[in-house]
Amino acid sequence: MPQLAMVTGAAQGIGRAIVERLGADGFDILALDADETQLSRSAADWREAGLTVRTAAVDCRDRAAVIKALDGVEAVDVLVNNAGISGVLDPIGQVDRAACDRVMGVNLLATIRVAQEAVRRMPDGGSVINIASRGYLGGAGAAHYVASKAAVVSLTRAMAIELRWRGVRVNAVAPGMVDTRMIDGFGDMLGALKRMEPTGAPANPAEIAAIVSVLAGPDASFVNGQILMADGGKSLGLPPL
Amino acid sequence: MNMSKPSTLVIGQGPVAEAIASRFSADVQGGVITLARPDAAAITALEHGLAAAVLVAPPAPPPSLFLDIDDARLDAQLADFTDLFEALGALLGRLNPKGAIVLVGDRGYLGAWGAADACAFSGAHVALMRCVTLEGFGAGHRANCIALDLAQDGAGVDPDEIADLAVHLASPASRAINGEIILANRGRSLRVREAKDRRADFAASASSKGPSL
């Protein structure tokens, strides 16, 4: 019987690539996303590709909705906590309370709530993969986003320390710039930011999905509590090619 | 709010915040302003610029297994975090050139048993300090973090030792230190506290099995 992988923020970008990769790896997929329209479009493509995917349009901040999406699910073997937003890009003094709450709510609180409900259904050998960001190291003009991703990194470590005793591994992937709709928010800065990437371009979402695939499976059974930086070496200060 | 010759702002409650305010009053020229909680409006309304500010983050909640953390507890920590976030933004607008911010948090950012939510917010605190460091470069501001043990580490803390460190990090004597986290726990973090068989803890946790609703 195929194992089940639950993916949040699944409808597009990195999440969609993860669904397609884990589906190709042989998992059945439970795909969650707040964007019902985009989720329906992606689901049609997935079905056409022969993947076994169940979808649920869910704002993962809503615990009751997450539990409803899990109705009838006996076991979640892999959870990929991918749903996230970047929010406005402004200096800390110009970010209002509502914007801060929204980014922390989606990127951190939803991650915790989804993980709790999935881990309750996770058998021995289960794997949780949280999608953080290389931005957790710090950055000017995005303090609430940076804080939310740093929180996910620390959460990952604490979850790994604790859930090891349930036979569950918890790791995180911290991508650098990835070619998704999220980077459209950079506006006029996008070209310059792309040129600053060590490889000269953002990563393809499939590259991040490939790392998730390894962390999800038995080849990574000895990897726990780690933050895998996938940024082309930018965090080392590597200059562009 | 106590205001006289404002020079240093100390925000927070408890023995550590009190010791820090006391040390600044005794050792540092200029007055000390105290606020019990991070209050962006009160900071914005200050009459004078600040040479330094020390924020003592609210203490982490009591230990809880990951699966037992409820939404009320998460929401309360988010509200505290957002207060701190707003206060830091306001502080950057009130800090004199070359002023220093010291954030007193805890070591949860490294991960800890039975404190996943508190660890997450600890990580957020550290990240905020780094962002403030980067955004304050132009004005010559500095920001650093003091990380205390978590309450469940059991060793407690000497508030006067932390006050000594806070005064040092707020002073020009530490001007080469910026964007750093100083673990102030006498090296206890080097002990491998988490390498302990915890299976019995899970057996005692009713909510570790089955859905929560």
Side-chain angles (χ1 to χ4, degrees), chain A residues 88-96 139-144, chain B residues 85 88-90 92 131-132 135-136:
Chain A
V88 295
L89 298 173
D90 281 319
I92 185 169
Q94 295 173 27
V95 177
D96 66 25
H144 52 335
Chain B
F85 182 91
L88 281 167
L92 280 177
C131 292
V132 166
E135 292 190 14

Side-chain angles (χ1 to χ4, degrees), chain A residues 157-172:
Chain A
R157 292 179 179 139
M159 285 175 64
I161 288 169
E162 194 172 314
L163 297 178
R164 169 213 191 284
W165 299 106
R166 286 177 63 94
V168 171
R169 293 180 297 111
V170 187
N171 292 288

Side-chain angles (χ1 to χ4, degrees), chain B residues 74-97:
Chain B
L74 290 173
D75 291 341
Q77 288 176 91
L78 177 58
D80 283 343
F81 172 81
T82 311
D83 287 345
L84 192 73
F85 182 91
E86 286 191 311
L88 281 167
L91 271 177
L92 280 177
R94 301 301 297 148
L95 208 58
N96 292 337

Side-chain angles (χ1 to χ4, degrees), chain A residues 71 78 85 92 95 101 156 198:
Chain A
D71 189 31
V78 171
I85 55 173
I92 185 169
V95 177
D101 276 352
T156 299

Side-chain angles (χ1 to χ4, degrees), chain B residues 5-210:
Chain B
K5 290 183 184 174
S7 177
T8 301
L9 176 63
V10 179
I11 302 172
Q13 299 180 68
V16 171
E18 288 166 13
I20 291 169
S22 177
R23 274 298 309 274
F24 274 108
S25 294
D27 296 359
V28 180
Q29 289 189 338
V32 175
I33 307 165
T34 58
L35 285 173
R37 291 190 52 80
D39 182 340
I43 294 166
T44 303
L46 289 174
E47 269 185 64
H48 304 279
L50 297 164
V54 182
L55 290 90
V56 180
S64 171
L65 290 179
F66 179 64
L67 296 180
D68 295 337
I69 295 165
D70 63 28
D71 287 342
R73 176 173 157 127
L74 290 173
D75 291 341
Q77 288 176 91
L78 177 58
D80 283 343
F81 172 81
T82 311
D83 287 345
L84 192 73
F85 182 91
E86 286 191 311
L88 281 167
L91 271 177
L92 280 177
R94 301 301 297 148
L95 208 58
N96 292 337
K98 298 189 178 178
I101 293 174
V102 180
L103 177 60
V104 182
D106 60 53
R107 71 159 191 94
Y109 71 96
L110 296 168
W113 166 266
D117 53 347
C119 288
F121 281 100
S122 172
H125 292 156
V126 168
L128 273 189
M129 178 274 294
R130 288 182 174 141
C131 292
V132 166
T133 302
L134 291 166
E135 292 190 14
F137 263 129
H141 296 154
R142 292 186 299 120
N144 290 289
C145 190
I146 298 172
L148 310 179
D149 268 349
L150 289 158
Q152 56 263 47
D153 294 327
V157 62
D158 179 345
D160 289 331
E161 290 180 12
I162 306 308
D164 288 343
L165 185 54
V167 167
H168 176 67
L169 288 174
S171 78
S174 66
R175 60 189 174 278
I177 302 171
N178 197 11
E180 290 299 322
I181 310 157
I182 315 291
L183 267 169
N185 67 355
R186 299 188 183 180
R188 283 189 289 270
S189 54
L190 296 175
R191 294 166 62 185
V192 187
R193 287 184 172 277
E194 323 306 347
K196 177 180 169 186
D197 193 325
R198 298 284 193 174
R199 276 167 281 215
D201 293 298
F202 277 113
S205 173
S207 65
S208 68
K209 301 181 184 71

